[in-house]
Amino acid sequence: GSSLDPQEHSMEPPAVPEEEEMPLTTAPGPVGHQLFGYVGIEAVLDQMKLKTMKTGFEFNIMVVGQSGLGKSTMVNTLFKSKVSPKSSQPGQQERIPQTVQLQSITHVIEEKGVKMKLTVTDTPGFGDQINNENCWDPIIKYINEQYERYLREEILITRKRKIPDTRVHGCVYFVPPTGHWLRPLDLEFMRRLSKIVNVVPVIAKADTLTLEERAEFKQRIQEDLKTHAISVYPQEDFDQDPDDRALNDRIREKIPFAVVGADQEHQVNGKRVLGRKTKWGIIEGE
């Protein structure tokens, strides 16, 4: 009994000698860690990946801008297939609608075993009228309706295992390549829409500008956005740690993106690239 510690004095004799009790202690250090074996937390990522690849992703994108800015071509260029509402309905007579209409079309794109349910929403008629007063109202109404529909499904007691996600994840706004300032219509639209959706402004048909004009136009647009306190994607709320902040700052420097849409392939140095052919060379869209 003299070899026992003071706290081990009890009415009952110890069941096993002291030497065999050492590995069961919870004292800090390598000895205490022998209690815990392999838990398998690292396998959670693989399980999530398999489950997500099985169910697939949902991505809903909205394109907004005047007619003739290459919205359909740009979406087709992004996803390497004819996914825009206009290109999927060939032979339809082109005519400017009297009011802003919304057309949505859904595709399932698969690449290397990963499925993505892509929904593209076009807004024909936006900014095409003489009087464009309140032309953003149908767009705001549509976006809010999708939020409400998702919320109604989410608050049900017996809800679906996978709620259909029709919310607009991103709105790409096409700015005409004027080389001057943003128009009042552009400012008003982005000011209203940036409060409810991620707005990504892009300079459409950027190949119509020289490099100097493009740099000046970008700078003017950035000044306009700052002056009118318009928050475009990525917002500062996404700067959760220094790495995210550094990445987002690099993206903010390039906004608005200057884009060139192309739906035809050309031969360049023995490989086929998407681009626009001019008499002085080929502009690669990618």
Side-chain angles (χ1 to χ4, degrees):
S2 59
S3 63
L4 291 172
D5 289 336
Q7 66 268 23
E8 291 183 332
H9 283 292
S10 63
M11 296 298 289
E12 299 174 8
V16 288
E18 187 184 2
E19 290 79 22
E20 294 180 18
E21 285 183 356
M22 280 301 290
L24 300 178
T25 58
T26 55
V31 178
H33 286 299
Q34 292 178 13
L35 269 175
F36 305 105
Y38 176 72
V39 179
I41 299 172
E42 65 177 12
V44 174
L45 278 176
D46 295 330
Q47 292 170 15
M48 289 173 67
K49 183 182 174 184
L50 286 169
K51 187 178 178 184
T52 311
M53 285 178 70
K54 194 175 177 182
T55 56
F57 298 91
E58 285 181 311
F59 184 54
N60 307 322
I61 185 172
M62 177 182 275
V63 288
V64 183
Q66 283 182 337
S67 299
L69 288 181
K71 301 188 296 294
S72 303
T73 309
M74 189 64 226
V75 173
N76 294 341
T77 306
L78 272 177
F79 297 103
K80 289 281 185 78
S81 53
K82 294 189 179 298
V83 294
S84 70
K86 189 187 292 183
S87 60
S88 60
Q89 299 165 2
Q92 204 173 29
Q93 189 178 357
E94 196 66 37
R95 102 169 37 121
I96 297 173
Q98 293 298 316
T99 56
V100 178
Q101 300 173 357
L102 285 99
Q103 300 174 352
S104 291
I105 191 159
T106 303
H107 300 267
V108 177
I109 300 176
E110 187 169 349
E111 186 180 61
K112 293 184 180 178
V114 180
K115 289 182 183 176
M116 185 173 75
K117 188 181 177 185
L118 171 71
T119 303
V120 180
T121 306
D122 198 359
T123 54
F126 176 83
D128 291 336
Q129 312 302 323
I130 295 172
N131 180 11
N132 289 305
E133 189 177 5
N134 298 329
C135 64
W136 45 77
D137 281 351
I139 299 171
I140 293 175
K141 184 184 175 189
Y142 174 82
I143 293 172
N144 286 330
E145 278 175 358
Q146 307 317 308
Y147 286 135
E148 287 167 12
R149 183 185 296 180
Y150 191 85
L151 182 64
R152 281 198 301 269
E153 291 282 350
E154 207 173 29
I155 60 178
L156 290 174
I157 296 171
T158 53
R159 54 179 175 267
K160 296 173 184 173
R161 189 176 174 188
K162 191 175 190 310
I163 301 172
D165 190 2
T166 57
R167 299 171 297 177
V168 179
H169 299 136
C171 173
V172 182
Y173 186 75
F174 286 72
V175 178
T178 58
H180 298 294
W181 303 87
L182 285 175
R183 302 168 303 167
L185 175 64
D186 304 328
L187 292 168
E188 192 63 26
F189 175 85
M190 284 194 273
R191 187 180 66 80
R192 289 172 183 264
L193 264 288
S194 61
K195 295 172 183 173
I196 59 171
V197 72
N198 295 315
V199 177
V200 182
V202 299
I203 301 170
K205 295 189 174 180
D207 54 326
T208 60
L209 299 168
T210 64
L211 297 180
E212 292 80 9
E213 287 172 340
R214 191 179 70 189
E216 287 176 15
F217 194 31
K218 274 195 176 194
Q219 192 175 352
R220 286 173 184 163
I221 291 175
Q222 287 172 355
E223 289 172 11
D224 272 345
L225 295 175
K226 199 176 290 183
T227 304
H228 293 84
I230 296 170
S231 176
V232 296
Y233 181 86
Q235 290 86 349
E236 292 184 0
D237 301 344
F238 299 157
D239 298 345
Q240 295 179 349
D241 56 55
D243 292 339
D244 288 344
R245 191 179 303 116
L247 175 64
N248 291 341
D249 284 340
R250 285 205 304 274
I251 296 173
R252 289 185 194 110
E253 286 172 9
K254 298 182 185 299
I255 282 181
F257 300 115
V259 297
V260 180
D263 50 9
Q264 290 184 352
E265 289 186 338
H266 301 281
Q267 197 85 14
V268 177
N269 296 331
K271 64 175 184 177
R272 300 190 69 79
V273 296
L274 277 173
R276 297 174 65 84
K277 192 173 184 180
T278 64
K279 62 182 180 181
W280 54 81
I282 292 173
I283 302 163
E284 287 191 39
E286 296 177 328

